[in-house]
Amino acid sequence: MSCISFRRRSKTKKKEKPSFMRRMTTMKIASPSQPTSALFMASLVSSAQVFNATHKPMYIHDAFKKHAVKVWKEACGGDKLLTHEKFLRFFKRTQGVTTTDLPDKDVYTFEEFFWAWSNNKAAWNAVRPLDPNEADLTYPISNYFINSSHNTYLEGNQLSSKSSAEAYKAVLRNGCRCIEIDVWNGAPSRTPSKSPHGEHRRHISNVSAMSRTSVRHGSSLSVDQPGLYTMRTPRDSGTSLDPKELSDRLDQSTSSSGSIKRVEPIVHHHGTMTTTVPFREVCKAVREEAFVTNHLPIIVSLEVGADREQQEMMVEIMKEEWAGLLLEEPFEDCDHLRQQPRLEQLLDKILIKVKRLDDSNGEIQEAQRGRSLTVSSLRSKPPICEMLAALAIYTRSEHFSDLKSLSSTTPSHIFSVNEDKFLDMISQDKAKLKKIMDHNKRYFMRIYPKGLRFDSSNPDPTIPWRRGVQMVAMNWQKTDEGTMLNDAMFADTNGWVLKPTGFLTNHDDIPTRTVDLRITVLAGQSIPVPEGGQAKKLRTRVKVELHVEKPNKSLDLTRTNQPQATENPDWERSPYPLEFLNVGGIVEELSFVRIEWLLSCFDVMILMREAATASKLL
């Protein structure tokens, strides 16, 4: 399955770039560029490497080979063999590849052509990757879409999975630039009893440790259970704490003299049976991975249920672990009460997003989020102390109640809105929708998944993006349609994408165009089919979905080709291309194509494989 996004370079760029298509897989493998006559044959081939380094031929099914031969003959242009000049032309014009390392020959047979072709990784993907160095970083930060995650610490479902510091490393490695940390009071330790045995100390029982944790947090007992789903980046957390581990850690925090050290805060999904992880470990993980290969800033969205003392300790830990990275003061030439900084000013910086709470706003916000499951836990959230609130310089959370809140003109404010509430707002009259879009040209808005998404599923992020929302927090714990579209938006961008013209500050008109899109699926090779008697009844199909702003909900933007009864399906170039003709109102930068292959039984889908890519058309 794949998603392709239509994205054209903004007219604000100093140098005009040609439009092209990008494709990336859900495993974040980037791809090369290609003109509109691109061949999509490779996107359904399970192995593009048909010859190994010793030129030893590997299996090629006839269904696929005949199309490859057809491509070779077209490249030959009537000659019996492919000349070196025509081979280079094929790479450049058809495959969009600018650098090649061809064997030094005058002419090439089909076998030589195919070996050189299959060994060029860029030639076997739909489009070339973007160059992050070409990104325009000169705009105020609210003029960018930001790759964002929700409950980043979780490895699986929202109710009983593990929490892990490694989860932060995984998302940061994959381009996430807005992470979420939910912080609560750490459980208090006990003074060890005096024992006649010098080094013997009484350990806290599992039950008592959990009880104190529950009383301190107002939460359910934490149970170490595996998640229902796994992160797309495999990892062994090694950082989540079950009650026994938490007890041991608390004992270690007690000095040899028997005095009690201050307990550090923990990260936890409050009101659930998910495990905990120390806040300091999360900060260390963020520091280790934050700017290794990506120097664009990171926004840390804090949900705070810790008391004043623990909040002050949070600040101490962040300043210690993020020394030199944490933005602690506004820039001299950028008053946070009057303006936002430019993206280029924030390289290698960590920004804190946190809110000032009074008791009533805190309860309302938590109720909307659906994060806590009991009334008592809602009442337990204290206000944010000044020491912590002072770190929210250019990214300060403000409570959002209704559309009247949009009148706020504080440059640093960020509204966080539940996905359902946001959909309800934009479904109202056009005047209210315009008010939302005008707000998002100048100020931040963040959308997060509704609380009922216990399985870590995701909403469609393209809907908020097309209303100018900068941050759509995604549950990275699960690969689904939402995360594929998110992958497509931020492929090769380092997690910050400049908005299209019309969505920027001081720009009014949104340029749109009408698109004719034709996708021809040629062949697939070695598509895995389940074993068993029913496997003989299965048919392979390809489904293509166009994700754009629909003029009306009844418009069908899904196409499916004819089913094939084989794991090596063969679809001819004609007469059945998958077509989307005369589709109007397209903003290419915010339009996507998703391609997936399906296994169906007598045209009724019974199985869908997550072998998908998500991309933008530019």
Side-chain angles (χ1 to χ4, degrees), residues 118-368:
S118 62
N119 273 274
N120 191 309
K121 182 180 178 180
W124 278 86
N125 293 290
V127 290
R128 74 171 170 85
L130 293 176
D131 183 358
N133 295 322
E134 296 179 359
D136 188 344
L137 310 182
T138 62
Y139 283 78
I141 55 177
S142 64
N143 287 270
Y144 297 84
F145 298 117
I146 306 169
N147 200 358
S148 307
S149 63
H150 175 247
N151 289 349
T152 315
Y153 47 88
L154 294 180
E155 291 190 354
N157 70 78
Q158 303 288 306
L159 295 179
S160 61
S161 64
K162 292 183 179 181
S163 301
S164 167
E166 288 297 316
Y168 288 88
K169 291 185 178 181
V171 299
L172 290 172
R173 277 194 296 267
N174 286 290
C176 183
R177 293 284 101 177
C178 180
I179 58 178
E180 186 175 27
I181 308 178
D182 289 14
V183 191
W184 297 86
N185 291 337
S189 60
R190 291 179 56 181
T191 303
S193 62
K194 295 181 180 180
S195 171
H197 304 287
E199 296 185 0
H200 174 72
R201 294 189 298 173
R202 185 178 62 192
H203 286 275
I204 305 172
S205 70
N206 289 354
V207 174
S208 61
M210 290 191 294
S211 298
R212 282 192 303 280
T213 302
S214 185
V215 170
R216 186 77 166 183
H217 302 165
S219 66
S220 303
L221 301 183
S222 294
V223 179
D224 189 4
Q225 291 185 344
L228 301 180
Y229 301 92
T230 57
M231 289 288 288
R232 97 187 64 164
T233 303
R235 60 185 175 273
D236 179 14
S237 76
T239 56
S240 56
L241 300 179
D242 63 16
K244 176 64 168 59
E245 292 172 325
L246 183 59
S247 170
D248 292 341
R249 186 179 293 276
L250 296 177
D251 279 345
Q252 293 171 7
S253 69
T254 307
S255 66
S256 58
S257 63
S259 61
I260 299 178
K261 293 184 177 180
R262 290 195 302 170
V263 178
E264 294 188 349
I266 59 171
V267 177
H268 178 58
H269 193 195
H270 193 52
T272 70
M273 298 179 70
T274 56
T275 61
T276 64
V277 59
F279 178 68
R280 184 179 292 275
E281 287 191 21
V282 169
C283 292
K284 287 181 178 179
V286 172
R287 180 198 64 208
E288 292 172 6
E289 196 64 44
F291 305 111
V292 175
T293 59
N294 185 350
H295 298 285
L296 296 185
I298 294 172
I299 297 175
V300 176
S301 180
L302 293 177
E303 288 293 329
V304 183
D307 59 26
R308 182 184 183 88
E309 180 182 355
Q310 293 273 282
Q311 290 179 30
E312 292 175 350
M313 187 175 294
M314 287 172 57
V315 176
E316 294 175 11
I317 292 172
M318 288 189 289
K319 288 184 176 182
E320 179 181 338
E321 297 296 339
W322 297 339
L325 304 176
L326 182 65
L327 187 67
E328 301 183 40
E329 300 288 343
F331 299 115
E332 291 184 1
D333 60 345
C334 185
D335 184 355
H336 65 290
L337 299 177
R338 301 179 61 183
Q339 65 185 108
Q340 297 174 344
R342 301 184 307 276
L343 183 55
E344 62 187 355
Q345 295 178 280
L346 297 171
L347 300 182
D348 294 322
K349 288 298 180 183
I350 296 176
L351 286 71
I352 299 301
K353 170 187 169 292
V354 73
K355 53 182 171 282
R356 294 179 184 272
L357 290 179
D358 57 41
D359 292 337
S360 60
N361 282 351
E363 291 183 20
I364 294 173
Q365 183 74 6
E366 284 301 294
Q368 289 173 345

Side-chain angles (χ1 to χ4, degrees), residues 130 440 503 537:
L130 293 176
N440 293 342
F503 291 81
K537 302 178 182 179

Side-chain angles (χ1 to χ4, degrees), residues 25-54:
T25 69
T26 56
M27 298 305 293
K28 300 272 184 183
I29 302 173
S31 7
S33 130
Q34 195 166 331
T36 54
S37 59
L39 294 172
F40 276 83
M41 175 167 49
S43 66
L44 293 181
V45 180
S46 61
S47 176
Q49 184 64 45
V50 185
F51 294 89
N52 61 19
T54 60

